[in-house]
Amino acid sequence: MDLNSASTIVLRVLTQATSQDTAVLKPAEEQLKQWETQPGFYSVLLSIFTNHTLDVNVRWLAVLYFKNGIDHYWRRVAPHGLSEEEKTTLRAGLITNFNEPVNQIATQISVLIAKVARVDCPRQWPELMPILVESVKVQDDLRQHRALLTFYHVTKTLASKRLAADRKLFYDLASGIYSFACSLWNHHTDTFLQQVCTEDEAAATNSLERTLLSLKVLRKLTVHGFVEPHWSVEVMSFLHAMFERLKQFLECSRSIGAENVCRDRLEKTIILFTKVLLDFLDQHPFSFTPLIQRSLEFAVSYVFTEAGKGVVFGRFIVQCLNLIKMIVKNYAYKPSKNIEDSSPETLEAHKIKTAFFTYPTLTEICRRLVTHYLLLTEEELTMWEEDPEGFTVEETGGDSWKYSLRPCTEVLFIDIFHEYNQTLTPVLLEMVHCLQGSTNMEDTSTILIKDAVYNAVGLAAYELFDSVDFDQWFKNQLLAELQVSHNRYKPIRRRVIWLIGQWISVKFKLDLRPMLYEAIRNLLQDQDLVVSISSSLLFFFNGCLPVDDFEFRTDQFLPYLESMFTLLFQLLQEVTECDTKMHVLHVLSCVIERVNMQIRPYVGCLVQYLPLLWKQSEEHDMLRCAILTTLIHLVQGLGADSKNLYPFLLPIIQLSTDVSQPLHVYLLEDGLELWLVTLENSPCLTPELLRIFQNMSALLELSSENLKNCFKIINAYIFLSSSEFLQMYAADLCQSFCELLKDITTEGQVQVLKVVENVLKVNPVLGPQMFQSLLPSVFRGIIDGERYPVVMSTYLGVMGRVLLQNASFFSLFLSQMACELGQELDQILGNMIEMWVDRMDNITQPERRKLSALALLSLLPSLNSVIQDQFCGIINISVEGLHDVMTEDTETGTYKDCMLMSHFEEPKVTEDEEPPTEQDKRKKKLALKDPVHTVSLQQFIYEKLKAQQELLGEQGFHALMETVDTEIVAQLQEFLQGF
């Protein structure tokens, strides 16, 4: 591509690609995509985005295409990669001038230079760093800033490389430029501080920007540029100097008000100082040891004393609290229980920590955390009044402690209390003691302090286990506080129910629960929405009805079930926010799951409301997921009565499991589970339920982690109504299975074959014909001696069903396999029996072992020489089967087959057991028709041997029995006593 003529063409197409008209835009994008692999294209892009006279949008697009091209075509091994000659030209062009006037484009150019540096620096681009170092020294403001911006992005990118060789190169780079980076930072910092004093805002803003960029460079070099940074005098000098600089910047913030243009950048710089300390502590805890004392003094003085008054701000407080937390909790600073096993570095750090955290210091920190930082703020109280739902579901989980003040305070309190609980327990208990008894409703500050203290007691529940008699406290104080209905006391009502939720899994007597249910019932009717929501959410989530609460007793809860469920349902209707509805639905699901079938009388209102809620939640995918979860528990609770929900339920299953619908991304997993429990609890197959199965073939093609549930659903249809289902879908299903088996894991193979096995079990006459195309691979697997025992076991289970329950089909199938394999029929039959006998130990399930014995015995009586040759093996398997299934009656001394089932009866269910589903009943009825459970193996062996004896005569049969080991014969005779 000739550069001059090409520039005009590319420029025109780039201009078209910035158009708002799709008719112009689309062809231009296609053309640019074709040019991506053309030699010279990136040289043209470079000439366009470095030409400051051109339209900004065109230059922006050119720089983006260049940046994306680096990702795809810069590496030497990349297909259609750039030539070395062009790359050399491009590298030189990128760093010729640092004079880009547009900030956004300048940032993109810096990022793309860093991307090239990641691949080429320093080997193919040794001049990059020296040029950058020289360029940041120039007097021209624009050039200096752009060079510094690039210097930062290059350093950041090189610091992120993790291979050992790359780390070594970065260590060398860091040691080479560290001194310069420090002097650069100091120069810009001093300049900024001087300009602030002279109130030159424009100049100060420029200097502060350079201070920020140079500090960002130093952060990367300090944290990632040294193996053992404590041996570097320059690194440790910089880190110690940071504390003084931090103080200067904090003092500077007194004079720079919120309206000042520097304010935002100043706060960012202060936060960046703390990030350097936190990152350094995280990556190099032992190198941080000399800084522990100073860091703690600095953080504690600004956050817990008057020194911080007027200068600290929210994010800075969070960073300081995190710094204290990371020092307190750092495992590198914790000596082993056996002191001799601890390293000297650990002992040194521990000594510094212990010297700092004296009794007065710890007491003051604890008191300030509770009475200052755990207090509900004005903003939170305003939010409580104006947006109660937003207040209750504010995000506090995950990593929120790193960024938000309340979660950060709570995490620090937990860690410091855990570390120094012997010192702090009496302090906290004294605070609790001072607040007991009645509270003046006019004294808002005391109410808020009580809220904070109760919060602390909840957070420290596990540490206070031996120090607080919670049961007595609940009966004598907390229960009464829940009954105080005054509007100003609502923070305490909310906090107490949360506090009980924290303690219930730690220490709470079972016989107190009814009193608690009574209290919750009252709070669900509270005039304040936050209290109502909190009493449901915070309590139910934290301990009253979670699935893993082993102490929950249904009988204690049943007297409150109707009123509690009604109140929760009213709350679900009252709240309007999606998140709140999700949480209340979760609680309702939890209740339904716990009481199971006993929920039936009370769910009518919920059943009527859910269709409306589903319609309202069209834009809220996560709320729809919550509705699906509720429906899952509802169907399980209703059992066969769930068929009344089908007009609403089945369209939802249809929608959520249809992979052509965009919604399936969110709903599929829960939709499949709902589909499965609906089938398991369905009393009969309806046309609509049958129609939904049309979604299955696309789901099987996905081959995702949901495949296991898909197989369970297919099995459920087979158990529900095999003839109708298979008549409509067997051909499609067989085709899907054939495709799946070509590329699936061993576990997946087994799942597919288990479905086939269930088809043969339910429908032994038509089943083998319907899945005939799958059987040859099963037969070949047996003959070839499949190496995975679990797969071989399933192969033998499938073939055993065919052989035992459809002998005529097996005979035809054997003829077909003989033709396919080009062998004699008797030969492949003999091979099959021989392999079956040899691999019998692969089968571990007693049912399948008995099935194998029955199947092979079904070949008798026979005059076929191949079967007679394998007679010994068949008898061996039969005796093994007898050992598996026969139990001795100690009174009569006779044996009976423990797998035999004579009649169906509803099992008696205890309160702790789940009642059987409709599918469980269907499986039980199916077992009553299954030869494994209806044919006595003992009787079957006797009859087959008797028939063989009659066929061969006494002498011939005796000769045949002599091929069997005498010990096996003796065991057989013992089992057949009485016949």
Side-chain angles (χ1 to χ4, degrees):
M1 193 183 276
D2 173 57
L3 193 62
N4 292 325
S5 59
S7 291
T8 312
I9 303 167
V10 174
L11 183 59
R12 188 178 70 246
V13 176
L14 280 169
T15 307
Q16 291 168 349
T18 61
S19 169
Q20 299 297 313
D21 183 356
T22 51
V24 177
L25 172 69
K26 290 293 179 189
E29 286 181 339
E30 286 298 320
Q31 182 61 70
L32 288 166
K33 187 158 187 65
Q34 289 173 19
W35 283 340
E36 280 180 0
T37 54
Q38 290 290 317
F41 177 58
Y42 295 96
S43 300
V44 174
L45 290 177
L46 176 64
S47 70
I48 290 171
F49 71 70
T50 52
N51 184 346
H52 304 159
T53 62
L54 297 176
D55 179 69
V56 170
N57 292 326
V58 173
R59 294 173 57 229
W60 169 260
L61 201 57
V63 91
L64 289 184
Y65 269 95
F66 193 106
K67 189 177 75 168
N68 293 337
I70 293 168
D71 291 332
H72 295 115
Y73 308 114
W74 195 274
R75 292 183 184 276
R76 275 178 294 179
V77 294
H80 310 294
L82 279 76
S83 67
E84 290 303 316
E85 294 77 19
E86 187 174 2
K87 285 199 281 188
T88 304
T89 309
L90 291 172
R91 282 193 295 261
L94 284 170
I95 53 175
T96 303
N97 290 304
F98 294 101
N99 61 349
E100 172 54 55
V102 181
N103 283 333
Q104 291 90 333
I105 295 177
T107 302
Q108 291 301 323
I109 293 172
S110 296
V111 170
L112 70 84
I113 290 172
K115 282 177 176 285
V116 174
R118 185 180 182 88
V119 181
D120 289 353
C121 189
R123 292 188 182 91
Q124 282 82 34
W125 207 2
E127 67 273 19
L128 173 63
M129 275 302 177
I131 287 174
L132 286 174
V133 168
E134 287 306 311
S135 299
V136 295
K137 295 177 184 175
V138 299
Q139 293 305 305
D140 183 289
D141 273 358
L142 181 65
R143 290 174 187 274
Q144 187 189 66
H145 177 270
R146 299 318 191 215
L148 189 51
L149 182 66
T150 306
F151 189 32
Y152 160 62
H153 280 289
V154 169
T155 310
K156 177 185 176 183
T157 301
L158 295 179
S160 68
K161 297 179 81 171
R162 288 289 169 263
L163 293 176
D166 294 326
R167 305 292 320 128
K168 174 72 172 65
L169 288 171
F170 190 69
Y171 296 148
D172 295 342
L173 171 70
S175 59
I177 64 170
Y178 197 84
S179 178
F180 167 73
C182 283
S183 63
L184 189 69
W185 169 67
N186 274 315
H187 166 70
H188 288 306
T189 305
D190 288 334
T191 307
F192 164 70
L193 291 169
Q194 287 162 13
Q195 288 164 342
V196 165
C197 293
T198 59
E199 297 185 4
D200 185 348
E201 276 193 24
T205 305
N206 283 339
S207 297
L208 184 55
E209 176 67 22
R210 287 156 179 71
T211 303
L212 189 61
L213 283 172
S214 53
L215 185 56
K216 284 180 175 182
V217 171
L218 272 173
R219 178 189 177 191
K220 295 300 175 187
L221 295 176
T222 304
V223 175
H224 302 290
F226 299 87
V227 182
E228 294 180 309
H230 56 281
W231 294 119
S232 167
V233 176
E234 287 178 328
V235 172
M236 298 314 288
S237 299
F238 161 68
L239 289 167
H240 280 291
M242 272 208 334
F243 291 101
E244 287 309 314
R245 290 299 198 189
L246 247 175
K247 285 180 183 174
Q248 289 174 334
F249 274 71
L250 285 165
E251 285 307 309
C252 183
S253 71
R254 284 186 196 274
S255 58
I256 295 181
E259 70 289 342
N260 194 300
V261 289
C262 289
R263 182 70 199 191
D264 184 51
R265 281 265 181 264
L266 181 66
E267 289 191 1
K268 280 186 178 176
T269 309
I270 290 169
I271 294 304
L272 188 58
F273 279 119
T274 60
K275 283 180 178 177
V276 175
L277 291 170
L278 286 165
D279 288 355
F280 191 74
L281 171 56
D282 182 53
Q283 295 292 320
H284 307 284
F286 290 128
S287 295
F288 193 86
T289 302
L291 302 166
I292 291 176
Q293 177 76 19
R294 201 163 181 185
S295 298
L296 288 171
E297 285 172 355
F298 175 84
V300 169
S301 69
Y302 274 100
V303 175
F304 296 115
T305 71
E306 296 303 307
K309 199 169 183 179
V311 294
V312 298
F313 51 95
R315 189 72 207 282
F316 175 72
I317 295 170
V318 170
Q319 294 292 91
C320 287
L321 294 179
N322 283 336
L323 187 59
I324 298 168
K325 168 199 152 49
M326 283 181 68
I327 293 171
V328 167
K329 201 182 179 182
N330 205 305
Y331 291 108
Y333 302 158
K334 289 189 177 181
S336 306
K337 286 185 179 177
N338 187 358
I339 296 294
E340 289 78 33
D341 296 338
S342 304
S343 67
E345 294 87 351
T346 298
L347 294 175
E348 173 64 20
H350 182 68
K351 183 180 170 186
I352 296 168
K353 266 174 61 180
T354 307
F356 179 81
F357 286 113
T358 58
Y359 177 78
T361 303
L362 283 169
T363 305
E364 184 59 26
I365 288 174
C366 179
R367 288 186 183 280
R368 293 278 294 188
L369 278 173
V370 175
T371 60
H372 186 72
Y373 291 109
L374 284 180
L375 281 184
L376 286 169
T377 63
E378 281 297 324
E379 291 82 1
E380 288 171 322
L381 291 170
T382 303
M383 191 179 184
W384 183 318
E385 296 301 331
E386 294 177 0
D387 181 15
E389 291 184 47
F391 178 84
T392 56
V393 294
E394 237 186 323
E395 193 59 57
T396 55
D399 282 347
S400 57
W401 60 270
K402 291 181 181 177
Y403 316 105
S404 303
L405 185 55
R406 179 166 294 282
C408 170
T409 304
E410 291 177 350
V411 167
L412 173 61
F413 180 81
I414 291 166
D415 288 340
I416 211 163
F417 205 94
H418 175 75
E419 190 75 9
Y420 302 103
N421 63 338
Q422 289 183 320
T423 305
L424 295 178
T425 295
V427 177
L428 185 56
L429 292 181
E430 185 201 340
M431 293 169 82
V432 174
H433 182 71
C434 292
L435 292 165
Q436 295 311 284
S438 59
T439 305
N440 181 0
M441 295 304 155
E442 303 302 316
D443 189 354
T444 308
S445 63
T446 303
I447 290 173
L448 293 179
I449 286 174
K450 181 181 270 196
D451 173 80
V453 171
Y454 282 8
N455 188 1
V457 174
L459 295 171
Y462 285 97
E463 309 299 333
L464 294 171
F465 179 85
D466 293 322
S467 308
V468 173
D469 184 344
F470 193 79
D471 295 331
Q472 285 301 315
W473 192 27
F474 169 74
K475 285 189 289 187
N476 299 338
Q477 173 77 21
L478 298 180
L479 200 55
E481 297 201 275
L482 287 176
Q483 291 160 0
V484 177
S485 59
H486 197 288
N487 186 51
R488 287 190 180 168
Y489 212 63
K490 62 190 179 187
I492 305 303
R493 294 198 296 278
R494 167 184 167 268
R495 181 59 66 192
V496 168
I497 205 69
W498 173 86
L499 174 63
I500 297 165
Q502 296 297 107
W503 272 85
I504 201 161
S505 57
V506 179
K507 184 194 280 187
F508 195 79
K509 275 187 185 166
L510 200 58
D511 57 10
L512 293 176
R513 290 202 177 201
M515 296 164 71
L516 191 49
Y517 297 144
E518 183 78 40
I520 295 172
R521 184 168 64 182
N522 293 336
L523 288 180
L524 283 170
Q525 302 170 72
D526 200 279
Q527 294 300 306
D528 186 82
L529 187 58
V530 170
V531 176
S532 294
I533 295 170
S534 301
S535 63
S536 69
L537 304 192
L538 294 168
F539 187 73
F540 279 82
F541 279 171
N542 282 317
C544 177
L545 289 170
V547 177
D548 57 353
D549 181 10
F550 297 111
E551 293 199 335
F552 175 79
R553 275 180 34 198
T554 310
D555 62 317
Q556 284 185 323
F557 185 68
L558 283 178
Y560 306 93
L561 175 59
E562 182 179 3
S563 55
M564 207 83 96
F565 194 85
T566 305
L567 289 165
L568 282 168
F569 174 64
Q570 287 170 2
L571 183 61
L572 178 64
Q573 290 176 297
E574 184 183 351
V575 297
T576 56
E577 292 293 324
C578 177
D579 282 350
T580 325
K581 282 189 181 291
M582 276 169 53
H583 290 315
V584 179
L585 270 176
H586 180 90
V587 176
L588 283 163
S589 298
C590 203
V591 173
I592 295 167
E593 187 178 10
R594 272 311 192 158
V595 300
N596 207 293
M597 295 172 71
Q598 293 171 96
I599 198 67
R600 290 180 183 183
Y602 316 117
V603 293
C605 55
L606 181 64
V607 167
Q608 288 174 358
Y609 176 65
L610 284 178
L612 175 64
L613 185 59
W614 180 266
K615 199 166 186 302
Q616 291 171 344
S617 64
E618 260 178 278
E619 304 299 316
H620 304 288
D621 300 320
M622 299 318 290
L623 178 53
R624 287 199 155 184
C625 288
I627 295 171
L628 287 176
T629 306
T630 306
L631 285 169
I632 289 165
H633 295 306
L634 206 49
V635 170
Q636 288 170 328
L638 291 172
D641 290 346
S642 61
K643 68 178 184 298
N644 299 324
L645 297 180
Y646 285 2
F648 167 55
L649 199 60
L650 301 189
I652 284 182
I653 296 171
Q654 163 73 40
L655 175 74
S656 56
T657 59
D658 182 352
V659 297
S660 67
Q661 297 282 346
L663 272 174
H664 89 274
V665 175
Y666 306 99
L667 305 181
L668 181 58
E669 194 174 333
D670 292 318
L672 286 172
E673 196 173 339
L674 178 59
W675 192 358
L676 178 60
V677 299
T678 301
L679 289 165
E680 286 175 343
N681 289 279
S682 177
C684 59
L685 185 63
T686 67
E688 294 78 17
L689 201 50
L690 190 58
R691 203 175 301 124
I692 295 174
F693 196 80
Q694 292 169 355
N695 287 354
M696 185 56 72
S697 60
L699 288 165
L700 292 175
E701 281 175 32
L702 278 181
S703 296
S704 65
E705 66 277 3
N706 293 308
L707 214 47
K708 192 177 278 189
N709 263 349
C710 289
F711 291 136
K712 287 181 181 176
I713 288 166
I714 297 166
N715 281 325
Y717 273 105
I718 292 164
F719 293 131
L720 182 56
S721 181
S722 66
S723 52
E724 283 179 80
F725 169 67
L726 292 172
Q727 195 174 349
M728 188 177 285
Y729 293 111
D732 291 343
L733 206 51
C734 190
Q735 189 179 345
S736 294
F737 283 178
C738 288
E739 288 299 316
L740 269 175
L741 288 171
K742 290 176 186 173
D743 180 29
I744 199 169
T745 61
T746 304
E747 189 187 353
Q749 272 182 284
V750 171
Q751 295 293 335
V752 170
L753 293 168
K754 276 184 178 175
V755 174
V756 177
E757 195 176 2
N758 282 331
V759 170
L760 300 175
K761 191 188 295 186
V762 173
N763 206 325
V765 178
L766 294 175
Q769 294 168 13
M770 290 172 164
F771 286 86
Q772 187 166 357
S773 55
L774 276 173
L775 296 177
S777 61
V778 172
F779 189 84
R780 278 193 291 271
I782 296 171
I783 297 289
D784 297 340
E786 163 62 47
R787 63 196 180 101
Y788 290 110
V790 67
V791 178
M792 186 61 159
S793 168
T794 319
Y795 281 166
L796 295 173
V798 169
M799 204 49 65
R801 287 279 167 198
V802 178
L803 175 56
L804 177 62
Q805 293 182 265
N806 199 334
S808 59
F809 176 86
F810 182 78
S811 180
L812 291 169
F813 173 69
L814 208 57
S815 302
Q816 176 197 333
M817 290 309 301
C819 290
E820 279 188 28
L821 298 171
Q823 296 177 17
E824 290 294 321
L825 190 145
D826 282 353
Q827 185 185 350
I828 64 166
L829 176 62
N831 292 345
M832 183 193 80
I833 299 170
E834 189 177 344
M835 188 59 72
W836 204 321
V837 172
D838 183 53
R839 300 295 290 274
M840 182 67 176
D841 287 343
N842 288 171
I843 306 174
T844 53
Q845 305 94 322
E847 289 90 348
R848 276 218 190 118
R849 290 176 69 82
K850 179 178 176 180
L851 174 67
S852 284
L854 291 171
L856 291 178
L857 281 165
S858 71
L859 293 168
L860 301 177
S862 176
L863 292 171
N864 188 313
S865 59
V866 170
I867 293 174
Q868 291 190 17
D869 288 344
Q870 299 295 338
F871 181 78
C872 169
I874 293 171
I875 296 302
N876 284 349
I877 281 182
S878 303
V879 172
E880 278 188 44
L882 286 168
H883 280 292
D884 292 326
V885 303
M886 302 302 284
T887 52
E888 187 176 4
D889 188 330
T890 48
E891 290 181 13
T892 60
T894 57
Y895 290 91
K896 63 175 183 178
D897 190 332
C898 66
M899 285 195 181
L900 291 180
M901 291 166 61
S902 56
H903 63 285
F904 177 75
E905 58 179 44
E906 286 273 0
K908 290 183 173 60
V909 182
T910 65
E911 187 190 309
D912 297 331
E913 291 178 327
E914 286 189 8
T917 63
E918 295 298 305
Q919 180 160 302
D920 294 331
K921 296 173 189 175
R922 286 192 281 272
K923 283 183 177 178
K924 196 81 180 284
K925 284 178 181 171
L926 176 62
L928 292 172
K929 299 175 186 173
D930 186 347
V932 172
H933 297 292
T934 56
V935 174
S936 162
L937 182 58
Q938 185 185 30
Q939 176 92 27
F940 198 66
I941 292 174
Y942 173 76
E943 288 172 0
K944 289 294 180 181
L945 291 180
K946 184 84 174 158
Q948 187 71 27
Q949 185 181 25
E950 289 171 1
L951 185 66
L952 296 180
E954 192 68 43
Q955 193 174 350
F957 181 70
H958 182 70
L960 198 58
M961 287 300 291
E962 282 195 331
T963 63
V964 184
D965 185 275
T966 52
E967 178 60 34
I968 298 292
V969 173
Q971 291 173 21
L972 180 62
Q973 286 171 340
E974 188 182 348
F975 279 122
L976 297 183
Q977 280 176 2
F979 281 94

